[in-house]
Amino acid sequence: MSKKNKEKLLGQIIVGPVTYDVVEVRELRNDEGARLYGQCLDSKDEIRLTEGLKPNRKRTALLHETLHALDNLHLIGLSEKQIHRLAVGLINLIDDNPDLLGGYDGR
């Protein structure tokens, strides 16, 4: 990694048997040169996020890339459009139902 695109470790996410480092990098681009908000690199057990994203965009990008990791692990075969829609939908679900994941025991 060049100094121009130095990584900053933000934390880790466990997806099944894999622990992904979550890192922030100065710039991300796909093979065609288009700018990316995030990228899941299974070969390096790494999720990359573009530096300087606003908190809501960063959260959505992190969930989006985590969905890619789950899709790759479980061989689901989701399209990019499906991953995007799921990420946005799950963020909305969590925001609209703050008690959904916190301490709900089904009683």
Side-chain angles (χ1 to χ4, degrees):
M1 171 91 19
S2 69
K3 287 184 179 182
K4 178 182 174 188
N5 209 20
K6 189 174 180 183
E7 298 178 359
K8 174 185 172 188
L9 183 65
L10 299 178
Q12 295 182 318
I13 290 184
I14 299 169
V15 179
V18 181
T19 300
Y20 287 85
D21 286 336
V22 179
V23 297
E24 224 174 28
V25 296
R26 185 173 182 167
E27 182 178 81
L28 286 172
R29 296 201 178 264
N30 66 13
D31 293 337
E32 291 79 38
R35 182 174 179 254
L36 301 173
Y37 295 126
Q39 186 177 50
C40 179
L41 297 175
D42 288 318
S43 62
K44 294 185 176 186
D45 298 339
E46 190 173 83
I47 291 175
R48 296 177 172 194
L49 302 174
T50 298
E51 183 180 82
L53 296 177
K54 292 182 180 179
N56 195 46
R57 175 82 67 188
K58 182 186 281 188
R59 191 168 68 130
T60 302
L62 179 58
L63 182 55
H64 178 109
E65 299 310 325
T66 303
L67 287 170
H68 276 299
L70 284 165
D71 181 44
N72 296 338
L73 174 67
H74 295 288
L75 306 173
I76 300 168
L78 296 170
S79 69
E80 187 65 26
K81 185 182 271 188
Q82 289 170 321
I83 294 276
H84 173 74
R85 289 178 176 172
L86 276 170
V88 171
L90 286 169
I91 289 289
N92 289 337
L93 178 69
I94 293 164
D95 285 349
D96 293 344
N97 300 280
D99 295 330
L100 179 69
L101 301 175
Y104 180 72
D105 62 7
R107 289 188 246 174

